[in-house]
């Protein structure tokens, strides 16, 4: 049975809602899933998981959250080589450039990037939550 972790940061609750829906999808697909707020995640445990799903909203000038999420991501980046990684997050402005940059970082780390990152403008509505759940199902069923 696959073991997947969903690591996220959320300030307004939008990305947290996405993370919960992603977890539901992973579990519907029959995988074990841990949902962990980024500040509670032990980077040394990356090797314990078959897949990593990372969630962070766009901040400032379309960057990852800088005080909690970015430092943890930077610490785990070298552990992502060969891992299946999916990205998701919410945004309130811009074009999604933060996600494109993040996708490139993950690829450069040698990870197997799953699809394109899932982004939702502002709070996810019912359709958005369904998209998140389906994203989780597809990720759990991949590889």
């Amino acid at each position: 049975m696959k073991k997947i972790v969903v690591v996220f940061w959320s300030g307004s609750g939008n990305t947290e809602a996405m993370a919960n829906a992603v977890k539901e999808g992973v579990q519907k697909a029959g995988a074990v899933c841990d949902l962990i707020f980024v500040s509670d995640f032990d980077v040394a445990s990356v090797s314990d998981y078959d897949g990593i799903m990372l969630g962070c909203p766009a901040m400032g000038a379309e960057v990852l959250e800088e005080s909690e999420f970015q430092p943890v991501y930077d610490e785990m980046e070298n552990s992502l080589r060969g891992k299946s990684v999916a990205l998701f997050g919410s945004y309130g402005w811009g074009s999604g450039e933060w996600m494109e940059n993040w996708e490139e970082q993950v690829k450069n780390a040698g990870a197997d990037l799953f699809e394109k990152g899932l982004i939702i403008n502002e709070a996810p509505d019912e359709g958005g939550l369904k998209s998140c759940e389906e994203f989780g199902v597809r990720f759990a069923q991949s590889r």
Side-chain angles (χ1 to χ4, degrees), residues 43-89:
V43 173
S45 71
V46 166
S47 62
D48 298 341
Y49 295 97
D50 301 305
I52 313 288
M53 300 187 83
L54 301 172
C56 186
M59 304 294 288
E62 290 209 60
V63 296
L64 297 174
E65 192 280 327
E66 297 174 298
S67 65
E68 289 184 90
F69 194 89
Q70 186 70 57
V72 172
Y73 175 77
D74 290 345
E75 188 180 341
M76 85 168 63
E77 193 171 47
N78 289 333
S79 303
L80 297 179
R81 180 166 300 285
K83 284 284 183 187
S84 185
V85 177
L87 307 176
F88 65 92

Side-chain angles (χ1 to χ4, degrees), residues 85-105:
V85 177
L87 307 176
F88 65 92
S90 63
Y91 69 106
W93 59 90
S95 63
E97 181 182 349
W98 107 100
M99 184 59 72
E100 293 168 7
N101 293 339
W102 195 13
E103 290 168 351
E104 200 59 37
Q105 281 184 300

Side-chain angles (χ1 to χ4, degrees), residues 32-49:
V32 172
C33 187
D34 293 332
L35 178 68
I36 304 174
F37 193 80
V38 70
S39 60
D40 297 324
F41 183 64
D42 178 5
V43 173
S45 71
V46 166
S47 62
D48 298 341
Y49 295 97

